[in-house]
Amino acid sequence: MDDAYSTSMSAAGESADVAGLSQLLALKSGDTFLVADAWGDLRGAADGLFVADTRILSRFVLTIGLSKPSRLTSGVSADNVFFSCHTTNRPLPPMGGRSAPAGVVHVERRRFLWEGRLYERLRMVNHGVDDILLPIAYDYDADFADIFQVRGTRRERTGRVAEPELDGRRVAFSYHGLDDRIRRTCLAFSEPPHKLTRRRAEFMFSLPRGRRQDLYVECGADRCETPDGDRFRRASVEARLHMRRKRRRGASLRGPRSPRFNDWLDQSRADIALLTTDLDTGPYPYAGTPWFSTPFGRDGIIAAWQMLWLDPSLARGVLTYLAGRQATETSAFQDSQPGKIMHETRQGEMSALGEVPFALYYGGVDTTCLFVALAGAYARRTGDLETVRAIWPNLQAAAGWMATCGDSNGDGLIDYARAAETGLSNQGWKDSEDSIFDRDGRFPKGPVALVEVQGYAFMAWRAMADLERLLNLGDGGAYAARAEAVRSLVEDRFWMPDAGFYAVALDGDGRPCEALTSNAGHLLFSGLPAPDRARQVSRRLMSGAFRSGWGVRTLAEGQPRYNPMSYHNGSVWPHDVAFAAAGMAGYGDKDAARLLLEELHEAATHFHNRLPELFCGFPKSVGEPPIAYPVACLPQAWAAGSVFLMLQAALGVQIDAIEGEVRIHDPILPHGLDRLTAESLTVGDASLDLHFSRVDGHVVVSPRNRTGPLRVTTVR
C-alpha cells in the first residue's frame, strides 16, 4: 500500500494482534469505520471505531455470565452494511440456587454504521426449559489514539483524556488534544444498566423461557441520544438504501450461468461501494480499511480507472477532488511543488500537528501523471468536456510540473528523491523502502526514474494532446511530441536486450536497475513498448519465475531480495496483475489476459470472493489455497476493481463517447463462463446492453436495448 508506513506494516508481525488483522471484520460509512474481531469485540489493538483518523472507541467487549460467549457464526452482510455475530452462553453462574447450562440462550449481536454513529442491537432469546436471570456486561474505553499511533508510531507527548462522565445509561468520554481540539465519544444504552462505571456497564435481564429481550447501543462522536428499536430500524433502512444506491451506480455485469463468478462480481462491486465516500466533489473511492480509509491520489485514480467503463462518476469525483487539492507551493515536509497532485490526506491530530506530513502530502511521483491520463480517458469515455474544461488549468499545471519539477535532472524522464526524511523513500506504487534495487540487490541513489512512471507520463502527454484538440485550444502537437520523446527514451535507456525485459528504474547516474519486476506490466498497459518488445515482456511475465499460479508476482523468483512473504518483493497484488493483463490484452495476447483473470478468480474464491490488497507469492500447490499476507488491507479498492479492468480487457471493450462508438476487439470469456451481460452502459446521451456469449468456440457480442445514436463495431 502506498503510505510512508507501509514498511513498518511489513514488519508488523512483531505484534500478534496486528498479525491477526486478516481475521478482523470491517464496516465503513463516510469517514467513519469500525474494525472488530469475529465476536464483534474491540480490544484496543489494531481494532476500534474510528472517525476522521481518530479512534473514538478502543475497547468494547461483551461478556455473558462473566464469560466470553461461544461463537456460532459471524460475518458481514453481502451488501457490507451489517455485521452480525450469533453466539450462545457458556454455563451461567448460579442465580437463586440454580444455574443455567450452556447453549440455552441465543445471543445475536447485530450492528451497522450510519452518519458517524455505531448502532448495535443485542438480541437475547431463552430456548431453555426454565426462566433465566441473564447477566450481560460491556467493557469499554476510548483512548482517542491517532490512526498512526494505532499502527505503531510512538509519540513523546499526547493530550489529556478526561475522566468519563456518567449519566444513568450514558458514558461520555473526551480528549483535549495537543492541537487544542476537543474530541468526544458518547456511549449510550437503551436500558439503564444494573451497574454503570467509567469502564463497564452491567445488566441483569430476567428472561422467561421462550421470551426475547433486546438491548440497543449507540456510540458516536457528536451527540448522546437514547437508543431504541425505532431509531435502530430507521437508521438501518437508510444505511441499506444508501448502499444500494451506491452499488447501482453505472452499468452492471452479470454472468447468469456462473454463480461463483457472479459472487465475485457482486462482492467486488459491493466493496467498491463500501469504500466509496460521497464528498462535496462527488464519489471518491477511499483506498482501503483499516489503515487507508481516506482519499489517496494514486489509489483513487486507479480504482476509478478500473471502473471507468462501467461507472464514470467515480473518475469525475476523483478528478474534481484532486484538482481542488493540487499543490501551489513548494514544501519539503509535504513533498509538494506547484502543479503536483496529492498523494494522501489525513484528518487526525498527528497530521494536524505536523508530527507526520500526511495532512496533505504529495510524495507520490506517479500520481500527477495518472491524474492527467485519467482526465483524457474520462473525456473519451463520457464526452463530458465541461468537467474537463473546468479542470483544464489544473491539467496544465500538472503538465507543467511533469516538464519541470518532475524531471529534476532535465533528462526528459519523471524521477523522484524524497525532499525530507519524514517522507517516503520510494515514491512509486511500490513504496516500501526495500522495493527498488539493482540486480545485485543494492539500492539506487537518487533521483530515481521508475519505468512504469514513464509509461504513465507517456499516457499523460498523449491525453493532453487529445484534450487540447477536443477543447479547441490547439492542435496538440507539442504534447504529442513529448509523448514520443518519452517513448524513445524508455526504449533506448530501459530496455535490456539480453533479458528481453525493461529495467525497473534508472538511478541518479542514469544506470539501469536491472531487477526483473512486475512494473513492466504497467508499461504494457500504457501502450508505450514496441510490439515485438511487448511480446517478449508478456512471455517473461507469464513464465514460472513471475507466475505463482495465483497471478503475477511483483518480483521474479530468483531475483535478489525475492521473498514471497514480503510486501513488494515477490507477493501478488491483484491490481498489479490486472494492469499486466490489460496491457497484454492491448497488444493482442488475450489468452494471457484470460489466464490471469482465471487465476485471480480462483484466488478470490479462497478469500470468500474478496481479494485482499495482496497475498503471498508462494507457488500454487494442488488442493491448497493461496497464502494470505497477514496485514493486508481488506477490503481494498484497487483490489476490488481488478476484476472489472480485467474483464474489460478480455472483452476488448473500448467506449468513445466523442465518436459515439463502442468498439469490441476480439472478445474472449474465461473458461466456465459462457455468457456475460453488461447492462445499462451509458455513452453520452445514448445507452445499451452488451451481451457476450460463447458460440461454437467463439465469443460473439449482441447489442441490446440500444437508445440514442451509437455505433457498435466488432473487430477481430
Side-chain angles (χ1 to χ4, degrees):
M1 181 60 209
D2 43 10
D3 189 293
Y5 290 82
S6 59
T7 305
S8 63
M9 282 179 58
S10 300
E14 64 201 25
S15 164
D17 291 317
V18 174
L21 188 61
S22 58
Q23 279 76 53
L24 298 178
L25 300 171
L27 297 175
K28 176 185 173 298
S29 177
D31 286 330
T32 302
F33 71 91
L34 181 141
V35 183
D37 68 14
W39 278 260
D41 287 338
L42 315 179
R43 296 184 176 273
D47 49 10
L49 175 64
F50 295 81
V51 176
D53 292 321
T54 299
R55 183 161 65 182
I56 69 164
L57 190 65
S58 54
R59 184 170 179 81
F60 195 50
V61 178
L62 172 69
T63 54
I64 300 176
L66 307 180
S67 302
K68 184 175 183 176
S70 297
R71 186 172 68 94
L72 304 174
T73 186
S74 61
V76 175
S77 61
D79 62 2
N80 286 323
V81 174
F82 295 100
F83 165 84
S84 61
C85 177
H86 294 267
T87 65
T88 188
N89 67 293
R90 300 180 190 275
L92 297 176
M95 296 288 178
R98 301 186 61 182
S99 63
V104 297
V105 180
H106 173 227
V107 180
E108 180 199 16
R109 195 175 188 180
R110 186 172 178 82
R111 64 162 62 124
F112 63 94
L113 301 177
W114 179 241
E115 294 188 336
R117 296 182 70 74
L118 164 67
Y119 292 80
E120 176 159 306
R121 184 191 69 196
L122 195 68
R123 173 161 288 177
M124 301 152 278
V125 182
N126 180 3
H127 294 285
V129 297
D130 297 314
D131 297 347
I132 290 175
L133 285 175
L134 184 65
I136 296 285
Y138 279 101
D139 291 286
Y140 43 74
D141 200 1
D143 64 1
F144 296 96
D146 187 281
I147 186 86
F148 291 103
Q149 286 179 272
V150 178
R151 291 166 56 179
T153 303
R154 298 187 183 279
R155 302 181 68 188
E156 294 183 4
R157 297 174 57 232
T158 60
R160 183 178 62 85
V161 178
E163 281 294 308
E165 298 177 3
L166 308 180
D167 179 18
R169 64 185 78 192
R170 299 176 182 85
V171 184
F173 302 88
S174 64
Y175 170 77
H176 193 154
L178 298 180
D179 58 355
D180 210 30
R181 279 189 57 192
I182 305 294
R183 293 170 171 86
R184 305 179 191 280
T185 304
C186 190
L187 182 65
F189 302 94
S190 60
E191 300 291 333
H194 169 70
K195 181 180 180 181
L196 183 67
T197 71
R198 292 178 175 88
R199 298 289 184 267
R200 183 177 173 90
E202 298 179 2
F203 302 85
M204 184 66 70
F205 293 108
S206 176
L207 201 59
R209 59 181 182 176
R211 297 293 296 274
R212 184 185 80 189
Q213 175 76 43
D214 289 341
L215 174 67
Y216 295 92
V217 187
E218 291 185 23
C219 183
D222 55 350
R223 60 191 185 278
C224 220
E225 299 183 25
T226 302
D228 59 37
D230 287 341
R231 285 177 55 81
F232 184 91
R233 284 185 290 273
R234 284 196 302 270
S236 68
V237 169
E238 291 180 19
R240 175 153 272 174
L241 289 175
H242 181 68
M243 183 64 76
R244 183 180 300 173
R245 287 191 294 270
K246 291 202 293 183
R247 292 182 66 185
R248 291 180 176 178
R249 285 175 178 152
S252 62
L253 283 175
R254 298 297 294 171
R257 292 189 177 180
S258 180
R260 289 181 63 200
F261 202 86
N262 280 341
D263 290 344
W264 186 26
L265 292 175
D266 289 344
Q267 184 66 65
S268 299
R269 198 61 180 265
D271 287 348
I272 291 289
L274 172 71
L275 293 170
T276 297
T277 298
D278 291 319
L279 305 174
D280 292 341
T281 48
Y284 199 108
Y286 284 12
T289 58
W291 307 125
F292 307 115
S293 187
T294 189
F296 275 77
R298 178 190 301 124
D299 298 67
I301 290 169
I302 289 177
W305 205 316
Q306 292 169 329
M307 299 298 298
L308 180 60
W309 72 293
L310 297 171
D311 183 10
S313 71
L314 293 182
R316 185 180 186 277
V318 167
L319 290 168
T320 305
Y321 180 88
L322 294 177
R325 284 153 182 81
Q326 188 173 37
T328 58
E329 59 184 25
T330 298
S331 165
F333 183 66
Q334 292 180 296
D335 225 326
S336 66
Q337 295 157 328
K340 205 172 182 184
I341 294 299
M342 181 199 86
H343 170 73
E344 173 183 1
T345 183
R346 293 287 185 173
Q347 303 178 63
E349 180 186 11
M350 293 176 67
S351 297
L353 291 169
E355 295 178 29
V356 293
F358 303 112
L360 201 54
Y361 180 62
Y362 293 86
V365 69
D366 50 2
T367 309
T368 307
C369 303
L370 286 167
F371 170 77
V372 177
L374 177 63
Y378 172 79
R380 279 287 164 186
R381 167 61 182 87
T382 64
D384 177 15
L385 298 184
E386 181 180 350
T387 294
V388 175
R389 188 172 285 108
I391 65 170
W392 179 248
N394 304 98
L395 296 170
Q396 288 180 302
W401 176 86
M402 291 169 57
T404 55
C405 299
D407 178 11
S408 68
N409 56 15
D411 65 354
L413 300 171
I414 306 295
D415 55 41
Y416 69 89
R418 68 176 172 185
E421 289 298 314
T422 52
L424 291 163
S425 56
N426 284 316
Q427 298 192 354
W429 82 264
K430 294 178 180 176
D431 62 356
S432 52
E433 64 183 13
D434 64 345
S435 62
I436 306 300
F437 47 87
D438 205 345
R439 62 180 173 180
D440 58 4
R442 288 183 298 180
F443 299 131
K445 74 173 187 177
V448 176
L450 293 170
V451 66
E452 80 275 13
V453 175
Q454 314 318 314
Y456 305 154
F458 172 74
M459 290 192 293
W461 292 125
R462 296 185 71 177
M464 287 298 289
D466 191 34
L467 293 175
E468 188 176 70
R469 290 189 294 266
L470 291 176
L471 297 175
N472 296 316
L473 298 173
D475 63 4
Y479 291 124
R482 281 189 174 273
E484 291 308 310
V486 171
R487 186 203 297 269
S488 178
L489 284 168
V490 172
E491 295 286 46
D492 179 55
R493 301 183 63 185
F494 285 83
W495 181 249
M496 301 182 294
D498 292 344
F501 209 70
Y502 291 95
V504 64
L506 301 183
D507 68 13
D509 293 325
R511 290 192 295 262
C513 300
E514 296 182 338
L516 303 183
T517 72
S518 64
N519 301 55
H522 295 235
L523 196 66
L524 296 184
F525 177 77
S526 75
L528 182 150
D532 62 324
R533 291 183 175 181
R535 286 190 290 272
Q536 293 181 67
V537 171
S538 293
R539 284 196 296 270
R540 179 59 71 95
L541 288 173
M542 295 300 289
S543 70
F546 269 107
R547 277 183 54 227
S548 68
W550 305 110
V552 175
R553 298 185 182 98
T554 50
L555 180 68
E557 192 175 20
Q559 292 290 293
R561 300 187 180 277
Y562 172 77
N563 179 355
M565 300 176 290
S566 68
Y567 200 56
H568 287 130
N569 294 334
S571 53
V572 176
W573 289 64
H575 89 280
D576 187 42
V577 179
F579 265 44
M584 293 176 193
Y587 281 94
D589 194 350
K590 289 294 190 74
D591 287 336
R594 174 190 53 77
L595 182 58
L596 291 177
L597 174 60
E598 291 170 355
E599 290 183 352
L600 274 193
H601 176 214
E602 188 175 357
T605 63
H606 290 286
F607 290 112
H608 306 289
N609 294 308
R610 172 180 274 175
L611 284 172
E613 175 188 18
L614 73 155
F615 49 91
C616 292
F618 292 107
K620 181 179 180 181
S621 298
V622 176
E624 296 185 10
I627 297 175
Y629 186 80
V631 293
C633 281
L634 194 70
Q636 182 86 354
W638 63 13
S642 297
V643 61
F644 303 108
L645 179 62
M646 297 179 81
L647 276 175
Q648 181 185 12
L651 298 173
V653 177
Q654 295 181 355
I655 302 174
D656 190 334
I658 300 294
E659 300 296 331
E661 183 178 18
V662 177
R663 293 183 287 273
I664 313 294
H665 292 260
D666 191 21
I668 63 170
L669 287 169
H671 289 136
L673 184 67
D674 294 327
R675 297 165 58 195
L676 186 71
T677 301
E679 297 179 346
S680 303
L681 278 169
T682 300
V683 185
D685 294 328
S687 66
L688 82 165
D689 302 340
L690 292 176
H691 179 73
F692 298 87
S693 59
R694 199 186 308 275
V695 179
D696 297 329
H698 297 283
V699 175
V700 298
V701 58
S702 304
R704 299 177 178 176
N705 303 320
R706 191 177 339 187
T707 64
L710 189 62
R711 299 190 309 277
V712 179
T713 306
T714 303
V715 180
R716 291 196 177 273

